[in-house]
Amino acid sequence: MLVLVLNCGSSSVKMRLVDTATGAWLARGLVDRIGEPEPGTRSVERPGQPARKTGVQAADHSVALRLLLEELPEASRAAAVGHRVVHGGERYTGSVRITPEVLRELEPLSRLAPLHNPPNLVGIRIAQQHWPDLPQVAAFDTAFHSTLPDYAYRYAVPEAWYRDLGVRRYGFHGLSHRYVAERATARLGRDNLRLVSLHLGNGCSAAAVRGRTCLDTSMGMTPLEGLVMGTRSGDLDASVPLLVQAELGLLSAEVDRILNRDSGLEALAGTLDMRDIQAELSTSAGAKLAFELFCYRVRKYVGAYASVLGGLDALAFTAGIGENSSVVRDEICRGLESLGVRLDEAANGENRGDERDVAHPSAPVRVLVIPADEELVIARETEAVLAA
Ligand code: ADP
C-alpha cells in the first residue's frame, strides 16, 4: 500500500510517500519556517537523487502542503494518509482511524502537549480537506509506552493530580523506540530480547524494552524529563524551577521556556549541536562538561534499565547523535563493561549510514546502530488499522 505520512510541527511540515510492501520511501519533502516573517526552505527528494532546495514563504500549514504537492505530484497516488500525533493520552494505546469522534477526543489532549498536538491536528484537518476520500490514521508517540506498569508511570504525588489533571508519565519517541525494538528483535532473532533503546537526537530518550513490550522510558508527563537534550534540561529536582521562579520573579511560562529551550547542551556548551561540542572538547570547558554530563546521564539510565529488565541482551543507538557519533557511543559504553557491554573499536569508528552491530564479537551484549525510521512505522500502522 502507498501511504502518505504527514508530520506537522509548529513551524514545519514533513511529508513522505512510503510503499509498505517494500518498506521503501518513494518521495519525501519538508517546508519549514511556516508562518514566520523570514522565508523558509522547501526541500524535496527522491531516492538516489540529491535533495532539491528552494526558498519559499509559507503563511500557514495549508500553503506549505500545497508547496510540497506542487513538487511531489506522485503523492496523489497514496491510498491513505498516516499522521504522526505526539500525545494520545491514556485513551489511545494504539493507532486509530481518524473519525469526527476521534478528532473531538484528541482536542482536549492538546492541554498535555501544547507545543506538539495542536499542529498535528492542523495537519489532520488540512489533509482531510485536501483528500476527503482518503482514509486517515493517527499514530501516537505515546502509544508504545502504554504498557508501562503503574509503578513506572505514576509519580508519588497526590492521587487527585493524577485523577483530575492527568499527572503521570506518558513517555514520547514511541514510534522510534518501537521501530528500534522491532529491528533489534528481527536482527538478533530473539523474541524475548532485553533491550535498552537510546534515541539520541535533539530530543533524547531511553526505553527499557522486553521483547516488544516497553517497561519504562525516560521522558515523563512531558518530553522534559530524563536525559540531557539539545535544549532541554532533562531530570531536575522539582524544587529548582519553583525557587528560580520566586527568586528571579519569573512567570511559570518563562521558566518552562527556559527549561525546554535554553537548557541542556545549549546551556552548558553554548551550542546544541553535538558536532560542535565534539570539535571543542579539548578547547572548551563548557563543551567538555556538556559532553560528559550528557553521556553520564545516558549511562546512568542504561544501568537502571538493565536492572528493570533483569539483565541486558542489547543496547541500540538511534537518531542524529546515536547514529552518527562514535565518540558519544564510546563514552557511554565506557563504564558499562560490568554489564557485558564492550564495543568493537573499528566497527564503532566506521561512519556508515546503515544498520549494524558495533559490539565486540565476543561481548555478551550486542550494541546496535539502527537508523531511525518513524515514517515506516506510521505507514505500516496505517495499513494495519485499515486492514483490521
Ligand atoms: P531531531 O531530534 O530534531 O530529529 P536529529 O535526530 O537530527 O534531531 O539529531 C540532531 C543531533 O544529531 C544534533 O545534536 C547533531 O549535532 C547530531 N549529529 C548529527 N550528525 C552528527 C555527527 N556526525 N556527529 C555527532 N553528532 C551529530
Side-chain angles (χ1 to χ4, degrees):
M1 178 186 243
L2 286 189
V3 178
L4 189 69
V5 176
L6 271 189
N7 183 354
C8 280
S10 57
S11 63
S12 70
V13 173
K14 289 186 201 154
M15 184 168 103
R16 192 180 287 208
L17 184 63
V18 179
D19 183 351
T20 55
T22 61
W25 58 273
L26 308 180
R28 64 182 181 191
L30 156 81
V31 167
D32 63 9
R33 291 185 178 264
I34 297 170
E36 291 181 17
E38 319 259 293
T41 305
R42 168 177 58 189
S43 169
V44 294
E45 195 180 350
R46 296 186 176 88
Q49 296 175 18
R52 219 151 64 77
K53 296 188 179 179
T54 38
V56 291
Q57 191 107 38
D60 57 34
H61 288 74
S62 178
V63 175
L65 182 66
R66 195 159 42 70
L67 286 166
L68 283 172
L69 295 174
E70 262 174 22
E71 288 283 322
L72 298 173
E74 60 265 57
S76 64
R77 289 167 51 210
V81 186
H83 296 268
R84 178 191 195 163
V85 178
V86 167
H87 216 307
E90 286 195 318
R91 169 87 172 76
Y92 292 104
T93 58
S95 304
V96 63
R97 182 164 179 165
I98 298 165
T99 62
E101 191 198 349
V102 167
L103 259 184
R104 259 198 312 280
E105 284 187 351
L106 286 178
E107 209 64 66
L109 290 176
S110 289
R111 188 181 69 78
L112 293 172
L115 295 179
H116 298 98
N117 267 35
N120 298 158
L121 298 187
V122 166
I124 292 173
R125 293 218 165 78
I126 292 171
Q128 285 180 325
Q129 283 162 13
H130 206 92
W131 297 282
D133 298 328
L134 287 191
Q136 321 239 350
V137 168
F140 301 95
D141 260 314
T142 46
F144 183 62
H145 306 302
S146 64
T147 48
L148 260 60
D150 56 1
Y151 53 78
Y153 73 68
R154 285 288 298 276
Y155 294 111
V157 295
E159 163 89 17
W161 292 9
Y162 169 59
R163 205 180 48 235
D164 303 336
L165 306 174
V167 173
R168 54 157 283 181
R169 312 181 62 253
Y170 295 95
F172 300 88
H173 287 151
L175 297 162
S176 174
H177 289 302
R178 175 156 168 198
Y179 179 72
V180 166
E182 280 170 7
R183 285 305 315 148
T185 302
R187 187 183 175 100
L188 300 176
R190 306 246 316 251
D191 252 356
N192 224 5
L193 198 70
R194 294 166 301 177
L195 168 78
V196 175
S197 167
L198 298 170
H199 178 110
L200 308 178
N202 276 320
C204 299
S205 67
V209 186
R210 184 182 264 279
R212 290 180 179 79
T213 305
C214 187
L215 300 182
D216 205 350
T217 191
S218 59
M219 283 178 165
M221 167 140 176
T222 75
L224 184 58
E225 191 178 341
L227 304 180
V228 174
M229 315 184 204
T231 61
R232 294 189 189 118
S233 64
D235 290 337
L236 186 73
D237 182 334
S239 302
V240 172
L242 303 174
L243 178 141
V244 168
Q245 193 179 339
E247 302 233 338
L248 300 182
L250 298 175
L251 297 171
S252 63
E254 289 171 313
V255 179
D256 188 61
R257 186 187 55 75
I258 293 168
L259 292 175
N260 276 288
R261 304 261 171 103
D262 299 336
S263 298
L265 298 176
E266 174 79 47
L268 297 170
T271 169
L272 57 80
D273 196 311
M274 187 54 88
R275 284 165 292 201
D276 298 340
I277 291 173
Q278 287 175 194
E280 292 167 13
L281 275 181
S282 56
T283 52
S284 154
K288 182 166 179 287
L289 177 64
F291 180 81
E292 287 175 352
L293 210 157
F294 179 91
C295 295
Y296 173 73
R297 182 81 54 90
V298 175
R299 209 184 300 128
K300 238 171 32 164
Y301 267 90
V302 175
Y305 286 174
S307 54
V308 164
L309 294 165
L312 189 63
D313 300 311
L315 197 59
F317 288 90
T318 193
I321 299 173
E323 290 165 34
N324 298 304
S325 177
S326 54
V327 192
V328 167
R329 290 195 297 266
D330 187 59
E331 176 71 11
I332 289 169
C333 292
R334 222 175 268 271
L336 294 176
E337 292 86 356
S338 63
L339 296 177
V341 176
R342 190 171 153 218
L343 288 177
D344 181 294
E345 249 178 68
N348 184 51
E350 263 183 294
N351 244 340
R352 301 171 14 192
D354 60 340
E355 187 181 293
R356 59 203 189 277
D357 186 340
V358 297
H360 193 275
S362 68
V365 173
R366 305 325 303 158
V367 181
L368 306 176
V369 177
I370 300 178
D373 199 345
E374 287 142 297
E375 287 83 1
L376 181 57
V377 175
I378 298 171
R380 290 203 166 133
E381 286 283 296
T382 301
E383 183 177 42
V385 164
L386 298 177

